[in-house]
Amino acid sequence: MDLAILRVVPFIMLVHMSSIMAEGATLFSELSNSLTVSVTGADNTSPNGTKAGADELLVTWALNSAAQVDDSSYKTVELKLCFGAPSQVDRAWRKTNDILSKDKTCGFKIASPQPYNRAGNTTKWLVGKEIPFAHYFVRAYVLDSAGEKVAYGQSSNAQRTSNLFTIEPISGRHASIDIAAAVFSAFSVISLFGFFFYEKMSKRTSKA
Amino acid sequence: MAKRSSNNLDTAVLRESRSPDVKFMKSPEAAGDQGMELPDQASGYAHRTSYSVASSENTVSIPNLQFKQFEQEQSELEDDSESEAPFSLPVDSENKAKKIKFFSAAKPHMRAFHLSWFSFFACFMSSFAAAPLLPVIRDNIDLTKQDIGNAGTASVAGSVLSRLIMGALCDIVGPRYACAFLVMLTAPAVFSMASVSTAAGFLVSRFCIGFSLATFVTCQYWMSSMFSAEIVGTVNGCTAGWANLGGGAALFIMPLIYHLFQHPLACDSFVAWRLAMFVPGMVQVASGLMVLYLGQDLPDGNFRELKEKGKQVKDSWSKVIFYAITNSKTWVFALAYGYSFGIELTIDNIISQYFYDRFSLPLHTSGVVASVFGLMNIISRPFGGFLSDWSAQRLGMRGRLWTLWISQTIGGLFCFLLGRLDQLGPVIVVMVFFSIFAEAAAGATFGIIPFISRRSLGVISGTIGAGGTFGAILTQLIFFTSPAYSTETGISLMGIMIVCCTVPIMGIYFPQWGGMLWPPSKSRNATEEKYYLSEWSKEEQEKGMHLASLKFAENTRGERGRRITPSTTNACAVTYA
């Protein structure tokens, strides 16, 4: 039994490591910037201040005609909501890494992957309630038939500082939660002092 | 008699914490034994692993000797039969229990034991409840690395002050009310966590919850009131170790509760974590109510009587504190404990996020993996105490110091390695070894503390305990708050700091027992009596205030290790015959 584990564990680790290396070989800098992406709020308003859980974002992407690229391998497009540089400061868990598998810039998926076509598409997406407050931009990754990233486009500049928009998150607080917390706290304090004085009283009466 | 039912190993094993008189009387028989000699644990802060697996006969080689002790014990029991009658455990003249039965909740001793460790466990859980949920909380409240680091520091900072105050509170209202006060008054802080919406609110909430970690003091105090000196060390080790599990349990349970609210109950993630915080709060309130309703301060139930009997030597507080502060060993061990127990608290705060961020594990998985660190406490801390006692049998106090230094240094090296590795499998393995050595070092520290001083034992233990949490504050502030370096670098640097802060232990020297690098002094004055009586002035000795220290000094002769000659032991046996 132990020998079997000794054989299996290194094998699993080898598979794990090789899978990392397979993805990790692709760097963001190797991708070609071939799409143009733009974002607006519903009814073409500014996307700034979009409310999570309530408002929608309209994401438009298309092949950048100015960049002469061979798009024969482009198969699917994935849209992602990504953190702008100001929202990555002091937050190492959102750090940009050139190695794609370790990159944490784009944390949220926008809608489901869609098939690629030259003319592009506009996607409407209801902003989810798990989206935190931050400055965002949208990035579109193009995948080939093997599911590997081959190209991208984003609504911001390369340093992720321009054209950012904010999303207003839900607070997660509800009146009912606050009330329940107050009730439980009051119960805790009152039962403590109640018990204390009750015991004091009964000692006094038993002494008397 | 019902007391004879303590035939089972789990109670007999714990009788290892022998009062010195019994040990010395039996040692001529034990001398021929190949098995382990039982160590002399005068004030019995010894820790044993065997009780947790005591049901299996083959675990340790102790059983041979146990039964010899047990035979002697039976004759003792026959003498004390009258005093045992109202209690289900054998007791001494103060009605403090002399044995422990883990699977009993009988009034008052075992009930107090279980209430005490469970309430401390609940407080540990509440203090670290937010840690595994940080990936969600940091998004909800928009926290930066500094906010998280400061809140983590705050979560242990409050307890430094509250631990110092708790001792006094226990003296005034008794451990039961002190524990209940602390637990019930910090529960609102746990519930308030469900309503925080800013980084400042988060910090204040964690700070207030952290006060509850002072239940360490009420735990020790209550156990010292309920269990006699020979066994109080083991009991304190058990309660401390099992309560520290709360840190690991929080990392394990909180993500599960969070997911329960998120999926089957379909709450948004930012709502689910808030609801999850109600659970540790309710557990805390429940434990407080149980302590109030089911617990009692003393075996005979009346706290005021203890004060009237004047059990404690009426000593001057200023003198006690003076001797505690001027003893350099206090500070060396406070620093060392800060880098064993303090590190444990720090890791409890940061490790779940570390697994989530660095290895991209899902929230509940990173919680489970991270919890392994804290859960190792169930055996590693008692094991440390056991190792300390085992080495003391052979090498005396020098053995204890070496055990502490070795385990803490190896722990530091594993910590250094933990930060360097970036593959998940090796990281988990290294973390497990790190936890074993760091927690064993914490247990081994409390194997030495009872011998530092007799007069100021309470204040010294309290100072060293506070030093533990101070170490947690320091490491979190230095290594895990600044965005200048990554968490893994912080962990490695912390490992180096552990090794450095363990070096002062090499300077510890007892004239009668030696130190790590120096053997005991050959001078005639290097005796246990001289060491402990040095804390009493001539006038105080004339008043007879030093007698308890004198008795204690004789009890500590076992710390010389195998150098104990038969003549010495016979002399002591005569004293107690």
Side-chain angles (χ1 to χ4, degrees):
Chain A
M1 178 60 190
D2 297 311
L3 276 179
I5 291 176
L6 280 175
R7 269 182 238 142
V8 166
V9 168
F11 173 74
I12 291 175
M13 288 175 65
L14 186 67
V15 168
H16 180 64
M17 281 166 62
S18 51
S19 67
I20 289 175
M21 289 195 289
E23 293 173 33
T26 315
L27 301 176
F28 182 71
S29 41
E30 290 171 5
L31 303 179
S32 57
N33 190 348
S34 7
L35 301 183
T36 54
V37 178
S38 63
V39 183
T40 62
D43 304 327
N44 260 334
T45 52
S46 159
N48 225 3
T50 312
K51 290 202 185 53
D55 294 340
E56 287 175 327
L57 285 177
L58 280 116
V59 178
T60 311
W61 61 270
L63 180 66
N64 188 355
S65 43
Q68 266 112 18
V69 286
D70 170 22
D71 62 350
S72 51
S73 60
Y74 295 4
K75 283 286 173 293
T76 25
V77 171
E78 266 180 1
L79 296 173
K80 291 239 170 116
L81 189 66
C82 308
F83 293 108
S87 290
Q88 291 175 306
V89 171
D90 292 339
R91 292 177 177 84
W93 56 89
R94 294 178 183 169
K95 214 164 103 169
T96 298
N97 194 325
D98 202 31
I99 303 172
L100 278 172
S101 61
K102 293 192 177 175
D103 184 35
K104 307 251 175 118
T105 323
C106 298
F108 304 101
K109 291 198 179 121
I110 294 178
S112 359
Q114 41 193 284
Y116 168 78
N117 67 78
R118 266 191 210 164
N121 200 2
T122 301
T123 312
K124 214 190 259 189
W125 177 64
L126 178 66
V127 180
K129 286 190 188 169
E130 72 281 6
I131 310 293
F133 173 79
H135 293 84
Y136 293 99
F137 64 97
V138 174
R139 183 180 286 171
Y141 282 114
V142 185
L143 310 177
D144 64 9
S145 46
E148 300 290 335
K149 296 185 172 78
V150 289
Y152 78 97
Q154 62 189 36
S155 62
S156 177
N157 61 5
Q159 293 83 24
R160 305 177 306 282
T161 49
S162 71
N163 232 359
L164 301 175
F165 60 96
T166 55
I167 290 184
E168 295 301 319
I170 61 166
S171 74
R173 291 180 62 182
H174 287 290
S176 51
I177 295 181
D178 295 342
I179 292 172
V183 166
F184 277 107
S185 308
F187 171 74
S188 176
V189 175
I190 290 172
S191 58
L192 170 71
F193 285 109
F195 207 98
F196 186 67
F197 287 119
Y198 171 74
E199 272 206 347
K200 245 193 173 169
M201 290 296 140
S202 51
K203 270 188 198 152
R204 222 172 268 177
T205 47
S206 64
K207 257 191 160 181
Chain B
M1 288 170 83
K3 271 63 71 186
R4 297 295 170 207
S5 66
S6 54
N7 224 335
N8 44 10
L9 269 177
D10 55 350
T11 55
V13 164
L14 287 156
R15 286 296 282 152
E16 293 169 22
S17 290
R18 302 295 301 147
S19 60
D21 47 351
V22 180
K23 188 226 169 164
F24 287 126
M25 280 194 276
K26 80 158 184 58
S27 59
E29 305 158 21
D33 263 349
Q34 291 306 311
M36 279 195 273
E37 282 177 58
L38 294 172
D40 170 20
Q41 288 308 321
S43 55
Y45 274 80
H47 305 270
R48 300 278 185 276
T49 39
S50 32
Y51 39 71
S52 59
V53 290
S55 46
S56 76
E57 297 235 3
N58 303 321
T59 328
V60 289
S61 59
I62 291 176
N64 302 331
L65 295 172
Q66 273 164 203
F67 292 109
K68 282 195 187 149
Q69 292 181 312
F70 188 64
E71 285 159 21
Q72 282 185 317
E73 207 180 277
Q74 289 205 339
S75 58
E76 276 181 56
L77 283 177
E78 278 158 19
D79 295 336
D80 297 348
S81 55
E82 307 87 65
S83 62
E84 299 171 56
F87 301 112
S88 66
L89 292 173
V91 294
D92 63 10
S93 55
E94 291 171 298
N95 287 339
K96 291 186 183 179
K98 294 199 287 192
K99 279 196 215 167
I100 187 168
K101 262 191 203 167
F102 286 109
F103 294 107
S104 147
K107 273 177 93 158
H109 309 100
M110 290 317 301
R111 197 170 282 193
F113 174 81
H114 289 298
L115 288 172
S116 157
W117 81 257
F118 187 72
S119 55
F120 190 17
F121 173 92
C123 292
F124 243 100
M125 239 189 81
S126 305
S127 300
F128 293 102
L133 299 178
L134 272 170
V136 181
I137 300 176
R138 70 192 180 194
D139 275 348
N140 193 182
I141 313 180
D142 199 27
L143 300 173
T144 60
K145 185 172 182 186
Q146 290 96 313
D147 295 329
I148 295 174
N150 289 332
T153 308
S155 71
V156 291
S159 77
V160 174
L161 187 64
S162 60
R163 280 181 177 201
L164 296 171
I165 296 174
M166 250 319 123
L169 197 64
C170 282
D171 273 329
I172 298 170
V173 295
R176 171 176 154 251
Y177 268 120
C179 179
F181 263 98
L182 191 56
V183 163
M184 305 286 265
L185 291 180
T186 46
V190 184
F191 293 121
S192 73
M193 179 72 89
S195 301
V196 296
S197 53
T198 60
F202 183 63
L203 186 138
V204 169
S205 187
R206 284 207 86 178
F207 178 69
C208 294
I209 297 175
F211 277 107
S212 64
L213 288 177
T215 29
F216 172 69
V217 176
T218 62
C219 214
Q220 295 231 308
Y221 192 105
W222 204 357
M223 294 298 96
S224 307
S225 314
M226 282 283 175
F227 292 88
S228 66
E230 8 184 287
I231 206 174
V232 76
T234 313
V235 169
N236 278 331
C238 271
T239 46
W242 294 357
N244 287 0
L245 286 178
L251 302 182
F252 179 81
I253 293 174
M254 292 305 292
L256 292 177
I257 300 175
Y258 165 75
H259 281 298
L260 180 71
F261 279 111
Q262 217 192 2
H263 296 307
L265 300 176
C267 298
D268 303 317
S269 55
F270 291 174
V271 175
W273 78 263
R274 295 170 186 277
L275 294 175
M277 289 303 300
F278 274 89
V279 175
M282 292 197 287
V283 169
Q284 211 175 307
V285 172
S287 72
L289 288 175
M290 284 198 296
V291 163
L292 283 174
Y293 193 64
L294 298 173
Q296 61 187 57
D297 292 309
L298 297 172
D300 56 17
N302 193 338
F303 186 65
R304 241 170 276 141
E305 271 184 31
L306 177 72
K307 290 179 136 181
E308 282 159 20
K309 267 191 206 161
K311 163 76 181 75
Q312 285 152 340
V313 172
K314 286 183 178 63
D315 202 350
S316 114
W317 273 113
S318 56
K319 281 275 173 67
V320 167
I321 292 175
F322 175 76
Y323 283 111
I325 294 178
T326 52
N327 195 335
S328 62
K329 299 184 179 68
T330 309
W331 304 107
V332 170
F333 284 111
L335 182 68
Y337 193 56
Y339 280 86
S340 57
F341 178 65
I343 298 295
E344 189 190 322
L345 296 181
T346 300
I347 296 280
D348 276 339
N349 258 332
I350 60 125
I351 198 76
S352 195
Q353 250 194 312
Y354 183 65
F355 280 112
Y356 183 85
D357 289 332
R358 192 159 193 221
F359 300 98
S360 304
L361 295 180
L363 195 72
H364 55 271
T365 313
S366 47
V368 168
V369 172
S371 71
V372 169
F373 185 88
L375 293 176
M376 292 306 294
N377 258 309
I378 196 171
I379 50 166
S380 49
R381 185 163 174 145
F383 179 66
F386 171 78
L387 212 60
S388 181
D389 295 333
W390 181 81
S391 56
Q393 293 165 42
R394 285 154 177 68
L395 302 169
M397 177 56 71
R398 295 185 78 185
R400 289 188 192 275
L401 291 168
W402 273 103
T403 304
L404 174 59
W405 183 84
I406 289 174
S407 57
Q408 196 155 325
T409 304
I410 295 181
L413 294 173
F414 273 113
C415 183
F416 175 76
L417 196 58
L418 184 68
R420 302 255 79 149
L421 295 173
D422 54 7
Q423 299 295 333
L424 184 62
V427 160
I428 295 177
V429 170
V430 166
M431 186 187 74
V432 168
F433 279 106
F434 170 36
S435 74
I436 292 174
F437 283 101
E439 290 158 13
T445 313
F446 272 88
I448 299 176
I449 285 171
F451 299 101
I452 298 175
S453 157
R454 174 62 179 81
R455 185 173 191 180
S456 312
L457 178 59
V459 176
I460 288 180
S461 312
T463 309
I464 294 176
T469 36
F470 187 72
I473 297 171
L474 212 60
T475 45
Q476 283 185 93
L477 268 181
I478 298 175
F479 300 119
F480 301 107
T481 307
S482 157
Y485 35 75
S486 59
T487 310
E488 51 266 29
T489 314
I491 292 177
S492 290
L493 293 175
M494 188 167 75
I496 297 175
M497 194 167 184
I498 294 173
V499 176
C500 295
C501 290
T502 311
V503 167
I505 294 176
M506 290 188 172
I508 298 279
Y509 181 71
F510 290 89
Q512 70 276 25
W513 298 322
M516 272 176 72
L517 304 173
W518 296 281
S521 164
K522 298 252 190 307
S523 129
R524 284 246 179 112
N525 277 338
T527 62
E528 287 83 357
E529 284 78 4
K530 272 280 179 317
Y531 179 76
Y532 288 110
L533 293 185
S534 64
E535 296 177 320
W536 301 95
S537 66
K538 274 276 181 293
E539 299 80 41
E540 288 162 338
Q541 290 188 33
E542 274 159 27
K543 287 188 212 163
M545 292 168 82
H546 67 297
L547 292 172
S549 287
L550 198 61
K551 184 170 173 179
F552 179 76
E554 291 176 48
N555 297 345
T556 60
R557 205 105 44 209
E559 293 308 303
R560 294 191 183 194
R562 288 224 172 109
R563 292 188 301 115
I564 300 178
T565 59
S567 57
T568 323
T569 55
N570 286 336
C572 287
V574 166
T575 316
Y576 286 99

